[in-house]
Amino acid sequence: MERLAVYCGSATPADPRYVELARDVGTALAQRGIGVVYGGGRLGLMGAVAKGALDAGGEVIGVIPEALAGSEVANHDCTELYTVSGMHERKQRFTDLSDGFVTLPGGVGTMDELWEAMSWAQLGYHSDPVGLLNAFGFYDDLIAFNARMADVGFVREAHRGILLAAETLPDLLAKMEAYQPHTPIFRMKAEDL
């Protein structure tokens, strides 16, 4: 994995562990020689990921929508900063530039990015690993919900393993490196659907 898209919140929670986590993830990825592709912002967890990676000498590629770039939240310290027309183009650029996806704690935008990465993996738009860093148990309920969707039958058995979750970054990266792509819906026969 040469580059990973990192999805996370642009907010700064009151609990400092979240910002520390984001900074540590950026630092660790840079130390491993893995470039960061992220939302291009300088605030919250986004800014902390970028700062951690940049301070460690890593590559940081920001992708920010025009509407946010003009509101002084864009991080012009990035190695490269792309300004795109909107969120769909932003997520497409994340996919085009990355070899996988890591989701840190975040809110609605982070969930949008995670679920689209999973949906595109199911369909076959990409075959990259989709990782969820479940630090501090933040995503316990989401992991349970994803399992429930599979148990009920809304997620095909072949796709149950798309979401890779771990509590620490080293464990998550190990799972992502070992990931074997599944059979996407585009290549399944009607009787398998």
Side-chain angles (χ1 to χ4, degrees):
M1 296 181 293
E2 293 180 21
R3 288 185 187 143
L4 291 175
V6 178
Y7 298 145
C8 60
S10 61
T12 303
D15 185 339
R17 295 181 303 168
Y18 292 101
V19 172
E20 291 169 17
L21 170 73
R23 187 178 52 248
D24 291 347
V25 165
T27 300
L29 292 176
Q31 289 172 343
R32 290 173 178 252
I34 299 172
V36 170
V37 180
Y38 86 116
R42 61 178 175 79
L43 304 176
L45 273 64
M46 270 196 214
V49 166
K51 182 163 179 32
L54 288 167
D55 287 352
E59 175 191 48
V60 176
I61 299 173
V63 184
I64 192 164
E66 290 171 353
L68 294 175
S71 64
E72 299 184 8
V73 299
N75 185 353
H76 296 284
D77 293 333
C78 293
T79 310
E80 292 180 69
L81 181 64
Y82 295 101
T83 301
V84 295
S85 62
M87 296 301 288
H88 179 74
E89 187 180 349
R90 181 193 218 183
K91 290 181 284 187
Q92 182 65 58
R93 189 72 61 101
F94 288 150
T95 302
D96 293 344
L97 292 170
S98 303
D99 304 309
F101 310 87
V102 172
T103 301
L104 307 182
V108 173
T110 305
M111 291 301 90
D112 174 53
E113 293 163 342
L114 170 66
W115 289 114
E116 187 156 303
M118 290 176 59
S119 175
W120 286 12
Q122 283 184 141
L123 292 169
Y125 287 117
H126 72 78
S127 58
D128 299 324
V130 179
L132 184 69
L133 187 57
N134 188 29
F136 323 121
F138 184 81
Y139 285 121
D140 286 349
D141 294 335
L142 183 85
I143 294 166
F145 177 65
N146 189 59
R148 172 99 173 119
M149 288 190 297
D151 292 344
V152 170
F154 288 113
V155 173
R156 289 165 185 82
E157 194 58 36
H159 303 146
R160 183 183 283 267
I162 288 176
L163 183 62
L164 305 170
E167 294 178 6
T168 68
L169 185 63
D171 289 345
L172 183 59
L173 293 176
K175 286 183 177 185
M176 293 175 71
E177 288 168 357
Y179 176 70
Q180 295 296 314
H182 56 282
T183 302
I185 289 172
F186 291 157
R187 287 191 294 181
M188 289 182 162
K189 295 179 180 173
E191 59 269 15
D192 296 328
L193 299 173

